[in-house]
Amino acid sequence: MSPSLAVAHPAAPGALAVASPWSRSLTLPPLGNLDAYISAINRLPLLTLEEEQEAARRLRDHNDLEAAGRLVMSHLRLVVSISRQYLGYGLPHGDLIQEGNVGLMKAVKRFDPDQGVRLVSYAIHWIKAEIHEYILKNWRMVKLATTKAQRKLFFNLRSRKQGLRAEALDGDTHREVLSDAEIGVVARELKVKPEEVREMETRLSGGDVVLDPAPGDDGEEAFGPIAYLADASHEPTAMIESAERDHLATEGIARAMGELDERSRRIVSERWLKVNDDGSGGMTLHELAAEYGVSAERIRQIEVAAMKKMRKALAAYA
């Protein structure tokens, strides 16, 4: 998807009148690919100093949107040129251009022709700033650079590292990690602490990891970190179910036992709830039968009837 631009917003598609490059619509057509977009903006005419100042004053003094469009569209090729410097971060070129167009729009809005500088010099700062923000937000899911010093390192360390590799301070051109001497050189040049250079190099050299990889060609689930990062014990549904089980095992059982007569309650307790110190259970059917002077079958019948009554009480309690 190629970028398109209108005066109102740099991402809005439209149609460009063929008769004049400065038609009142001041929009580029929705082109099929990025190469077509770049080819189209390269055919737009550049403004002379007098034309630029005239358009800037019309925008400043009269809020003339057609003048704003002329200023923006005559500098679209500048955005493309700057955006190419940031292709090494693996982000789509079209997206970088879009963000640069936003910065260009902001520059045009704030440009003062009476300051004695051309718009191209003023716009470079705004275009780069917008692209920088986009890269920091989208290059990694977790931000790498938050402070001003870290941002400076982020956008300069890679190119400076390549220069040091070519110079090879220690003669080893194949080593990937910066030496202490090279870290000191970078720290002095960028006016940061050596430990900040070392930390940023470590963070930049770490590859991205897909948490939940897509299934393979054979349709089988691919293993990813998401498989062992998930903590099922703190999943909300599991926590609710666990709390309900604990509640039933304490207050629920106590209330269900309260529905039984004393003999049934003792039989259930001995058969199901009692655990001795040696790990053995309570009394057997025959032991209970001998205590109450009835048959073991009668004890079993009382136990079955008591358990049925307890299940009913637990269902009502739940």
Side-chain angles (χ1 to χ4, degrees):
M1 181 178 179
S2 63
S4 55
L5 183 135
V7 174
H9 191 280
L16 178 65
V18 182
S20 170
W22 302 126
S23 62
R24 290 196 63 83
S25 62
L26 288 169
T27 58
L28 288 176
L31 303 171
N33 56 57
L34 187 59
D35 291 336
Y37 169 82
I38 295 175
S39 177
I41 64 173
N42 284 337
R43 292 195 298 269
L44 294 174
L46 296 175
L47 296 179
T48 65
L49 174 59
E50 293 74 16
E51 290 173 333
E52 180 182 294
Q53 290 184 339
E54 178 189 0
R57 290 190 176 95
R58 281 165 47 197
L59 172 61
R60 182 192 62 188
D61 300 335
H62 306 290
N63 197 30
D64 189 331
L65 293 184
E66 184 173 346
R70 293 188 63 183
L71 292 170
V72 169
M73 297 184 72
S74 64
H75 288 80
L76 290 178
R77 66 186 72 187
L78 172 65
V79 175
V80 173
S81 176
I82 294 176
S83 65
R84 287 195 179 103
Q85 302 172 17
Y86 299 93
L87 293 177
Y89 296 100
L91 296 171
H93 191 193
D95 291 349
L96 294 172
I97 293 175
Q98 290 282 48
E99 296 302 318
N101 286 345
V102 173
L104 175 60
M105 295 287 286
K106 291 180 178 179
V108 167
K109 182 179 180 181
R110 294 166 173 81
F111 179 59
D112 185 355
D114 296 330
Q115 291 296 321
V117 297
R118 293 295 300 266
L119 176 58
V120 62
S121 301
Y122 182 75
I124 288 175
H125 164 77
W126 289 95
I127 295 170
K128 287 186 175 182
E130 209 68 30
I131 293 177
H132 286 185
E133 287 297 321
Y134 171 74
I135 292 174
L136 291 175
K137 290 178 181 177
N138 294 276
W139 191 56
R140 293 280 179 88
M141 291 180 66
V142 180
K143 294 181 182 179
L144 285 180
T146 54
T147 67
K148 186 176 181 179
Q150 288 176 337
R151 292 186 179 210
K152 187 176 181 179
L153 274 173
F154 181 87
F155 288 106
N156 289 278
L157 182 57
R158 178 177 295 182
S159 59
R160 192 64 195 96
K161 186 176 180 179
Q162 292 173 349
L164 290 172
R165 287 279 72 77
E167 298 170 7
L169 296 181
D170 57 1
D172 185 0
T173 59
H174 301 288
R175 180 171 42 79
E176 292 296 329
V177 180
L178 290 176
S179 66
D180 290 340
E182 291 170 333
I183 289 175
V185 172
V186 174
R188 286 192 298 272
E189 289 183 354
L190 301 180
K191 297 180 180 179
V192 294
K193 297 178 181 179
E195 51 267 28
E196 292 178 324
V197 177
R198 191 174 288 107
E199 179 187 0
M200 184 57 67
E201 184 193 18
T202 302
R203 295 164 77 182
L204 286 173
S205 62
D208 291 334
V209 178
V210 180
L211 290 179
D212 192 9
D217 296 336
D218 55 0
E220 294 186 1
E221 291 291 331
F223 181 80
I226 195 69
Y228 56 81
L229 287 178
D231 185 2
S233 63
H234 289 83
E235 196 273 327
T237 303
M239 292 178 68
I240 293 174
E241 291 177 351
S242 177
E244 288 181 349
R245 285 195 300 270
D246 293 342
H247 200 57
L248 285 175
T250 53
E251 294 186 18
I253 292 295
R255 180 170 296 189
M257 291 285 284
E259 299 289 329
L260 304 177
D261 59 75
E262 184 178 349
R263 183 176 62 174
S264 298
R265 187 162 52 248
R266 179 149 190 273
I267 291 174
V268 170
S269 177
E270 289 288 342
R271 296 280 295 147
W272 294 97
L273 302 179
K274 188 174 181 180
V275 178
N276 296 322
D277 294 338
D278 58 359
S280 61
M283 300 172 67
T284 64
L285 290 175
H286 293 283
E287 291 173 339
L288 288 168
E291 179 179 332
Y292 287 105
V294 295
S295 65
E297 176 60 21
R298 178 57 184 157
I299 296 296
R300 190 193 66 80
Q301 292 174 354
I302 295 173
E303 179 186 347
V304 170
M307 295 296 288
K308 182 183 294 186
K309 193 171 184 179
M310 286 183 66
R311 280 194 293 268
K312 185 176 180 180
L314 283 172
Y317 179 74

